[in-house]
Amino acid sequence: MEYTNSSQESLARGVDETDDCQSAESTEREREQEDEVRFFPPLWQQRRNLARSILDENHATSVIDFGCGEAALMSFLVWESVGDYPITRLAGVDMDDTRLAIAEDECLPREFELGSNLRVNELTVEIFHGSVAQADQRMLGYDALACLEVVEHLDPDVLEKFWSVVLGTLRPKLVIVSTPNAEFNVYFPQLNYGTPEAIFRNDDHRFEWTRQEFQDWCNPAAEQYGYTVAFTGTGMLAKGDPEIGFCTQFAILKLKDTSAKTPPPPPTEPVKEHYSLFSKIEYPVYNTNHTDEEILAHLHDKIARIRPRPPRVYPDDEDDYYRNGYNNDWKNEQDERKSQDGAEESKLSNVESLTEAESEEATRSEFELGVLALEDLWAALDVRQRCKRRSEMVRILKTSPLVRIDVEQDKVYFDEEDEYWKEWERQYELDNPVYDRYAITMINDLSDGREDDDGFDWYNDDYSGQTMEETPVEVDLNPQDSYQVGNGWGDGIKRDQKDANSSWTTPTYQVDASDPDGGRWE
């Protein structure tokens, strides 16, 4: 299926996923909870983090998830990398339709990935109903195959075919296999490891291998099919015995030089389409074309916005607390602390009372002005959308008369005294005046849920019924930024302080604060 806006109803990614080996039995749930207490981050998260790092290190741009289940790994891989080798194709294979339905939901684009946040590179996700005991023609040509916490669930006849399918027929450049390390079970007393009453971590496990048993299974297959193999793992206890190894053991197999004289064994059977396609998801991408000149102008503007700059110096008569958005309770607390400590001035006051020259000098001692890391510039999504590749961004920046690129240091240098940056800053100051002290305090109060002096409850977005007779206060906010007020987001907020029917307005729309839904933006 192709993605449509109706697919946005799925839950946000990052839900609390459970370990792949979790059972429905209450004892298994207790064991999983114990695992999450023992390991930080949780073991399932460590496994997929390690798998992702291995894929990135080996520049895999297309990945098969064998035994994908509910897409614990795939839902992590759909997040777009900022590296030079983003994943553009994903395929998941599993036998359980219920799990595949959840996997589809977990891999759908989310609402925040639309609009201006469209991804840079294409991504196609295909989910198949099929068995790891069979090779499917559509799985040929993928860079990598991952099979995490699956082999221990396979029956002997299926396990026997695993390597011939993966290494003999599909032959990806990289294969990642993980399985529990049975030796680590000594840390789980309820498993009775090493005794006649020993049980597995999960009732559905057909076996649990020691490290030597796992290696004895992987090494001959790697030799037979022309792969190298290395072993690692994840999940260690802070005070655990390193001789016992990791809780989860990993095998990393890499295809040897294909020009080797010894050809790989032929496939044991013709490769056909044995799987049925359960779902296909095409991610929307940013496809607006820009000229080099347009991209360079955008890069100049982005550098001007995110470059290091000294703190703004305010007039001496400005109220430090209100100017910086601190509320009265914070001020009273600080006054009480100063009184107790006998300090004449707080550290905050000392810093903010510096002259412009002193502030700039103090700032320069903390970080270098006139320089920006290329990594920080490339991290901006709008930059990556326009340039597509980091090397392309560097190429275009090298044509600029305003900046100098040091590729070895991975930095871009510019002269802060250049008229371009000064004019940009002057225009920015005009567009973004110093915030009104009352308005900033007003916005800051959003975080504490208390009623301010006029009776407005910021957290619950309603008035307690008190009448206000103050003058309206306007807040000039950066049009590029969004500030949360109540249950909505708005730009250029204007507050009319009248009575219990007071409303919030913006240059384009209004929201009634007495709305029964909590004053949502319309």
Side-chain angles (χ1 to χ4, degrees):
M1 62 178 250
E2 287 205 5
Y3 168 74
T4 62
N5 286 340
S6 63
S7 302
Q8 298 175 16
E9 298 176 357
S10 51
L11 295 175
R13 288 190 197 99
V15 297
D16 186 16
E17 301 171 45
T18 57
D19 192 288
D20 292 338
C21 68
Q22 184 175 7
S23 167
E25 299 293 335
S26 60
T27 55
E28 285 299 319
R29 290 197 297 268
E30 292 172 1
R31 291 170 193 164
E32 178 65 15
Q33 292 170 356
E34 291 177 2
D35 282 355
E36 294 195 355
V37 171
R38 292 172 182 270
F39 301 103
F40 184 81
L43 191 56
W44 62 263
Q45 189 174 21
Q46 293 188 42
R47 278 199 295 265
R48 72 179 192 177
N49 287 344
L50 178 57
R52 179 63 188 255
S53 65
I54 296 171
L55 293 170
D56 289 343
E57 290 170 4
N58 289 275
H59 302 164
T61 61
S62 55
V63 182
I64 302 169
D65 187 358
F66 240 19
C68 65
E70 299 174 1
L73 177 62
M74 285 202 305
S75 63
F76 186 55
L77 297 181
V78 295
W79 292 99
E80 189 168 31
S81 168
V82 299
D84 292 332
Y85 300 92
I87 293 175
T88 58
R89 280 200 303 160
L90 283 172
V93 181
D94 203 278
M95 291 286 290
D96 189 328
D97 283 344
T98 302
R99 285 186 153 200
L100 291 178
I102 297 175
E104 176 190 16
D105 185 68
E106 290 297 309
C107 291
L108 288 172
R110 304 312 183 207
E111 185 174 0
F112 64 84
E113 295 174 287
L114 308 177
S116 62
N117 294 322
L118 291 174
R119 63 187 296 122
V120 177
N121 302 280
E122 295 180 352
L123 175 63
T124 300
V125 181
E126 293 181 305
I127 300 174
F128 295 91
H129 181 280
S131 170
V132 299
Q134 291 180 304
D136 188 284
Q137 186 180 27
R138 290 163 290 185
M139 300 297 101
L140 297 175
Y142 278 76
D143 291 338
L145 182 147
C147 186
L148 306 187
E149 307 301 286
V150 172
V151 296
E152 65 272 12
H153 295 269
L154 302 180
D155 291 326
D157 58 330
V158 178
L159 183 67
E160 185 179 357
K161 299 176 182 178
F162 183 85
W163 287 129
S164 63
V165 170
V166 174
L167 304 184
T169 303
L170 301 182
R171 297 189 65 75
K173 298 176 182 178
L174 174 70
V175 176
I176 305 170
V177 180
S178 79
T179 191
N181 172 18
E183 298 165 80
F184 202 89
N185 289 351
V186 297
Y187 291 113
F188 304 104
Q190 68 273 27
L191 300 183
N192 300 315
Y193 180 71
T195 71
E197 294 78 26
I199 60 176
F200 295 143
R201 299 183 193 177
N202 185 283
D203 293 339
D204 189 55
H205 285 184
R206 305 302 191 263
F207 56 83
E208 288 179 0
W209 281 328
T210 65
R211 286 170 294 170
Q212 187 60 55
E213 289 171 333
F214 185 45
Q215 294 173 20
D216 290 343
W217 181 67
C218 295
N219 286 328
E223 181 66 26
Q224 178 182 358
Y225 294 105
Y227 281 76
T228 64
V229 60
F231 298 92
T232 184
T234 189
M236 289 286 286
L237 299 180
K239 298 181 180 180
D241 184 358
E243 295 298 322
I244 291 178
F246 297 97
C247 185
T248 299
Q249 49 188 332
F250 271 65
I252 305 169
L253 298 95
K254 298 180 182 180
L255 185 63
K256 294 180 181 178
D257 187 359
T258 55
S259 64
K261 295 182 179 179
T262 304
T268 56
E269 60 181 38
V271 184
K272 300 178 181 179
E273 292 188 0
H274 294 288
Y275 303 160
S276 60
L277 181 63
F278 185 89
S279 177
K280 183 176 181 179
I281 303 168
E282 300 277 359
Y283 269 66
V285 297
Y286 185 90
N287 54 16
T288 303
N289 294 321
H290 298 276
T291 65
D292 286 3
E293 291 74 16
E294 291 173 336
I295 296 176
L296 184 59
H298 186 81
L299 289 171
H300 286 159
D301 182 76
K302 180 61 68 173
I303 291 172
R305 288 182 181 277
I306 68 176
R307 74 189 193 278
R309 49 170 60 84
R312 179 182 293 182
V313 178
Y314 299 90
D316 293 337
D317 60 351
E318 285 279 357
D319 186 309
D320 289 340
Y321 300 101
Y322 283 105
R323 183 185 67 218
N324 290 281
Y326 297 108
N327 54 44
N328 287 329
D329 286 349
W330 188 92
K331 181 180 184 298
N332 295 336
E333 181 182 347
Q334 295 303 308
D335 290 342
E336 183 178 351
R337 288 183 179 179
K338 287 189 294 183
S339 175
Q340 293 175 352
D341 298 340
E344 295 182 0
E345 291 185 15
S346 67
K347 182 178 180 181
L348 178 64
S349 298
N350 285 331
V351 171
E352 293 177 345
S353 62
L354 296 175
T355 65
E356 183 173 2
E358 290 172 336
S359 294
E360 184 171 349
E361 182 178 355
T363 301
R364 289 183 182 276
S365 65
E366 295 181 3
F367 55 85
E368 187 177 3
L369 299 178
V371 61
L372 184 68
L374 286 172
E375 179 182 2
D376 294 340
L377 188 59
W378 181 243
L381 176 60
D382 53 347
V383 170
R384 289 185 282 114
Q385 286 174 331
R386 288 162 173 77
C387 298
K388 300 297 184 183
R389 291 290 180 268
R390 196 173 189 272
S391 57
E392 186 69 4
M393 178 189 74
V394 173
R395 180 190 69 80
I396 295 175
L397 281 174
K398 286 183 176 180
T399 66
S400 170
L402 298 175
V403 301
R404 176 177 62 85
I405 304 298
D406 188 329
V407 178
E408 292 185 359
Q409 296 293 325
D410 198 45
K411 293 180 179 179
V412 54
Y413 295 90
F414 46 91
D415 183 6
E416 287 278 3
E417 299 302 318
D418 189 282
E419 187 58 31
Y420 173 86
W421 310 110
K422 290 185 175 181
E423 177 58 30
W424 191 98
E425 198 68 33
R426 283 194 292 267
Q427 187 61 44
Y428 182 84
E429 295 287 346
L430 290 175
D431 295 339
N432 301 273
V434 178
Y435 297 158
D436 177 274
R437 68 182 64 175
Y438 177 81
I440 280 297
T441 305
M442 173 186 72
I443 291 178
N444 189 68
D445 282 345
L446 286 169
S447 62
D448 57 25
R450 294 188 298 256
E451 293 185 2
D452 57 16
D453 293 339
D454 57 47
F456 186 77
D457 185 341
W458 294 91
Y459 187 80
N460 296 311
D461 238 12
D462 60 13
Y463 280 86
S464 60
Q466 297 185 29
T467 302
M468 296 174 293
E469 300 178 354
E470 300 179 6
T471 305
V473 177
E474 291 198 12
V475 187
D476 293 313
L477 300 177
N478 184 351
Q480 301 297 324
D481 296 333
S482 294
Y483 295 80
Q484 188 175 10
V485 179
N487 294 324
W489 293 88
D491 298 329
I493 300 169
K494 177 182 178 181
R495 182 184 185 188
D496 292 328
Q497 301 175 352
K498 297 177 182 178
D499 53 21
N501 295 319
S502 177
S503 63
W504 288 94
T505 65
T506 72
T508 56
Y509 50 82
Q510 293 189 1
V511 175
D512 188 351
S514 62
D515 185 276
D517 291 331
R520 295 183 180 276
W521 296 96
E522 301 175 343

